[in-house]
Amino acid sequence: MVNVPAIFGSMVFNDTTMKERLPKATYKALKKTIDLGEPLDISVANVVANAMKDWAIEKGCTHYTHWFQPMTGITAEKHDSFLDPDNDGNAIMEFGGKQLVKGEPDASSFPSGGIRATFEARGYTAWDPTSPAFIRDTTLYIPTAFCSYTGEALDKKTPLLRSMEVLSKAACRSLKLFGKDVQKVTSTVGPEQEYFLVDKKYYEKRKDLIFTGRTLFGAAAPKGQELDDHYFGSLKTRVKEFMAELDVELWKLGITSKTRHNEVAPAQHEVAPIFSTTNVATDHNQLVMETLKKTAEKYGLVCLLHEKPFAGVNGSGKHNNWSMGTNTGENLINPGKDPINNTQFQFFLAAIMKGVDEYADLLRISVASAGNDHRLGANEAPPAIVSMFIGDELQAVVDSIINDNDYVVPGKVPMHLGVDVLPEFKKDTTDRNRTSPFAFTGNRFEFRMLGSTVNIACPNIMINTIMAEELNQFCDEIEAADDKEVAIKALIKKVFTEHQRIIFNGNGYSEDWPVEAEKRGLPNYRSLPEALEHFDDEKNIKLFEKNSVHTAVEVKARKEITLEEYSKEINIEALTMLEMAKQDILPAVSEYVKELTETALSKKKLSENIPTTVEEDLITTLSNDLVSFVKKIDALEDTVVKGNDIEDKLEQAYYYHDVVFAAMNELRAVSDEMETITARKYWPYPTYDELLFGV
Ligand code: ADP
Ligand code: MG
């Protein structure tokens, strides 16, 4: 049996370990840095480093690494041993404050979007004491931020930390208006992570899964998700054993893994931790994704994190449950029992409404990826249009404020199930809305547009920055007013009125919504290039610069990188398809046609009276298909060559979306058609049946 409290955080240099191992004064100084963001002295860092090293060595470590999240979105690590030769040629184990605080990896091979030329290879990693160090295998991992020699952020963490800081300041400033003096406000997030598990023996036979993480060919299985029998279904033994080990590994790393269940599509699952600060949650989510992959292998499984591994069934996303709370324990997104009289909550709600409305494009941009393009707006994820769901109770509050009407309390109704032994409980005043991209769920907002692989720093940088901006604007206005109470009420009313178009409580999957959204003037960016085009719009650059989250240079660099990555990803998919088509599928079908032809001929030889129409029909159909297949291969090949030559990154991304991707779909359609009529023993790849139902 697993003793959860005993293993939880056992591989983390957490608060308990720090208290145990650090001198009181050092601990206090470090806590001030962690909790209140005060700068850290090198003498303190020296003591911390030494304690960390001793702890790590006791746990079997030989190495340490500065762990960071470059703009590829995934994590990077370069290991150094603690080894340090002394004058007598003996090895001692050393680790000082300097090494803890700063690293200097050769940064030239990480994407920088033109921020740094290769001859300026210098990059720095800087210790982030707000996310605890941890041990994996025999290495001590130190979470770090990554920046260029000239101080530009080259990673996901630096802007996230900057956004948390501005949000904290803006929220503390806002709370002063309500007579509250708090020192720090932290944004929190609980990410729910979806993934697929497939059997390794099938995975290894699919070049598309190996190179791109998704199936580029594959006819639908006879069964999909139509029976809804997988969602919350009982777990298969191998999956359950995998999940049990996953939990143990996550708990050791101090990750509060809490919920696990089967998801909608066959072979799809979800894991969710309890929320933490956006920074720690981001690091943890990266670890969750890595641990999912590592643990799966031990069970002969492969974990697919791609947003759309299979056509025809749901893809995978990530739900970003976001809120903000004070260091005194107050959740600022909690409306409490009396929302109509909770002016402070209304103030924060107004900031969110205004922010989501004015910067809907940035929220959309933050979740844009080639993989997510398959989901958003495709009737399984929220649409590509950003809107907010606030539910009946808050809607009544907003309506009554806008219209100066009496507020009608949608009172809590008791729930009676008609059976006396079942407990009676009160219904929530607000039902859920699964089709909304930004939904209020009682004491937090759930941003649902994220793809399963996205680094959650991206959306949280946006949410935090937008909130900080709006709150500061509000404060500027109210602080200048004579009667603050009156001014706050007027401001809330004005904002609710001006930004009510962002609220949509209806069905986000319905065909009417995009039409209605267009009438309201809400942007609908259906693909990554469409969205990214707006990243460096003037208003967005202004937002980032004013709040010191990104410089204009950083924004433009990020735009370039994202566009380039998008084109490259589709390019790899196209090349993989071409290889599969030419080297495997075409020869396989041709081989089957040959068998059919030989069968027909030998039948004829035996007797002219034996019918061969079945073979002949199939031969004709498949031969025609092959002609069309080769045409599509040539067409795709052509588009890829042209795509590579386009210089402008935006133009190139549009081309890959409009032309290359379209040619890929046409090629796939012919192959999938042939798959359904080719004898199984000839088909070169494991089928959807095996991939989706083979575990
Ligand atoms: P559901 O699937 O019903 O939306 P889950 O329980 O799977 O809910 O996930 C909800 C997530 O929201 C959890 O990670 C939970 O810790 C998180 N959450 C709860 N309260 C907050 C909060 N104040 N801030 C951020 N996240 C929160
Ligand atoms: Mg959820």
Side-chain angles (χ1 to χ4, degrees), residues 348-366:
F348 282 95
L349 177 65
I352 298 175
M353 268 176 70
K354 182 163 181 287
V356 174
D357 190 18
E358 287 176 346
Y359 299 100
D361 52 351
L362 286 180
L363 292 173
R364 170 68 183 89
I365 287 163
S366 75

Side-chain angles (χ1 to χ4, degrees), residues 219-249:
K223 182 182 171 187
Q225 62 193 44
E226 58 276 68
L227 292 179
D228 290 325
D229 53 350
H230 194 256
Y231 191 52
F232 285 13
S234 75
L235 303 171
K236 290 183 183 165
T237 310
R238 182 150 55 134
V239 172
K240 201 191 289 173
E241 283 168 2
F242 154 81
M243 285 182 173
E245 179 159 344
L246 174 73
D247 273 340
V248 169
E249 289 305 315

